[in-house]
Amino acid sequence: IMLKRAIQIVQSHLKGLGHFHGTADGADSPDLATAVVRGLTPRQAEIPAGALGFPHRRRLTMMFQLVARDRGIDCNPIDGFWGPVTQHAYDSLVHLIDHGSLPPNWRDDEPSDANPHAWPRDTGNQAAMRAFYGTPASPPMTRVRCPWTLRLAWDKSTRLTQVSVHSKVAPSVERVFDRVHAHYGEANLKRLRLDLFGGCFAPRKKRGGSSWSTHAWAVALDFDPERNPLNWGRDRAALDHPDYGFWWSTWEAEGWVSLGRSRNFDWMHVQAARL
């Protein structure tokens, strides 16, 4: 269900354009559906082909994504799916509306100096990341077979049997997948929602930061983002539960880093880069 405040934001935007004549109360309606189509029509070059024929809620989400992008907030791709990128854009836009400024870049702090494994450190100007993995946003990619069926977290009807990762980390990812599958089995992986894949490659900067995300090198994977949002700590994140002990120990045995376990945020995320 789309957040009431997000609907209010869209209503206010469309009201300003003269497309919506009701009250910005956060309530969905046929009048709002008509207004959304009117708002999207002149912007078809910015949305997927045929998007005006998508279901109403997807069009409504696209309209919100465009509003966020118009305010200088990264919300790509404009696709109508409410995933972690759109959730972060929502949080940022609400902060901007309520406080007159975007949230501070709280992830620009320098990570620790610990580097016991072979993966490079993600620190400073990211020179070590570039030297080891190459240019961000255009990494060499390899598909890795996943022995259990994955579902896209933002579109659960889409199923995957492979994920694309940086070629240098592909053998490691495959070993982790095989060990995790052998330990938990398909049914438990689904029960633990480790079948909900939040993505790997994304050519973008860090959320709340100014340096490149490890996703830009395809050396980070996200799982179950809905129950492990970026700014949740261990008091709320689902992945800080004893059931996930083998999951984390298997990644860490390969040198991968959990931002949740090491920094207590972004529990969905595991990366082949040291802090």
Side-chain angles (χ1 to χ4, degrees):
I1 298 174
M2 192 170 179
L3 296 169
K4 181 177 180 179
R5 183 72 183 277
I7 296 176
Q8 281 182 304
I9 290 169
V10 171
Q11 288 171 324
S12 296
H13 174 76
L14 294 172
K15 197 175 181 72
L17 294 175
H19 297 317
F20 181 67
H21 305 289
T23 302
D25 56 5
D28 205 351
S29 68
D31 288 343
L32 178 58
T34 300
V36 167
V37 172
R38 289 174 180 162
L40 291 176
T41 297
R43 307 191 67 170
Q44 291 182 71
E46 303 172 71
I47 59 180
L52 295 184
F54 290 173
H56 164 58
R57 278 305 174 101
R58 189 171 174 189
R59 294 196 304 261
L60 183 58
T61 300
M62 277 191 293
M63 193 73 252
F64 174 82
Q65 291 169 333
L66 287 168
V67 173
R69 192 168 73 179
D70 289 348
R71 300 295 293 272
I73 298 169
D74 177 18
C75 202
N76 290 320
I78 307 299
D79 58 6
F81 292 117
W82 193 288
V85 173
T86 303
Q87 180 64 44
H88 182 266
Y90 168 80
D91 294 337
S92 298
L93 183 53
V94 168
H95 193 281
L96 177 61
I97 292 169
D98 291 347
H99 303 285
S101 63
L102 292 171
N105 286 338
W106 54 271
R107 286 187 59 180
D108 279 350
D109 294 336
E110 286 290 320
S112 71
D113 290 331
N115 185 25
H117 301 289
W119 307 130
R121 293 181 65 204
D122 178 23
T123 181
N125 63 7
Q126 299 186 303
M129 292 290 290
R130 292 173 182 271
F132 192 85
Y133 288 126
T135 304
S138 58
M141 306 279 280
T142 298
R143 289 188 176 186
V144 173
R145 174 192 57 84
C146 185
W148 69 96
T149 301
L150 297 171
R151 296 177 290 160
L152 285 181
W154 59 89
D155 182 16
K156 296 181 180 65
S157 64
T158 298
R159 285 166 166 74
L160 306 172
T161 57
Q162 296 179 320
V163 298
S164 293
V165 300
H166 194 293
S167 298
K168 282 194 172 182
V169 306
S172 177
V173 174
E174 189 164 20
R175 284 192 295 271
V176 171
F177 281 178
D178 285 342
R179 291 168 185 165
V180 163
H181 182 253
H183 177 81
Y184 288 110
E186 187 96 14
N188 274 326
L189 286 164
K190 187 171 184 178
R191 176 182 65 83
L192 294 170
R193 293 168 61 96
L194 291 173
D195 64 327
L196 293 177
F197 183 57
C200 177
F201 176 60
R204 61 169 175 80
K205 301 296 181 68
K206 292 177 181 176
R207 304 295 172 208
S210 58
S211 57
W212 283 101
S213 169
T214 47
H215 286 288
W217 282 279
V219 297
L221 296 93
D222 292 342
F223 292 88
D224 193 10
E226 183 179 340
R227 298 193 306 160
N228 301 276
L230 180 68
N231 58 353
W232 281 15
R234 55 178 47 90
D235 59 325
R236 301 173 72 187
L239 281 166
D240 182 41
H241 187 278
D243 282 351
Y244 299 95
F246 187 86
W247 170 259
W248 291 124
S249 66
T250 305
W251 284 109
E252 290 169 2
E254 291 281 341
W256 293 66
V257 172
S258 157
L259 293 185
R261 284 164 63 87
S262 61
R263 293 293 181 82
N264 196 28
F265 68 86
D266 206 1
W267 279 85
M268 73 180 90
H269 177 101
V270 61
Q271 63 182 46
R274 305 303 298 174
L275 301 178

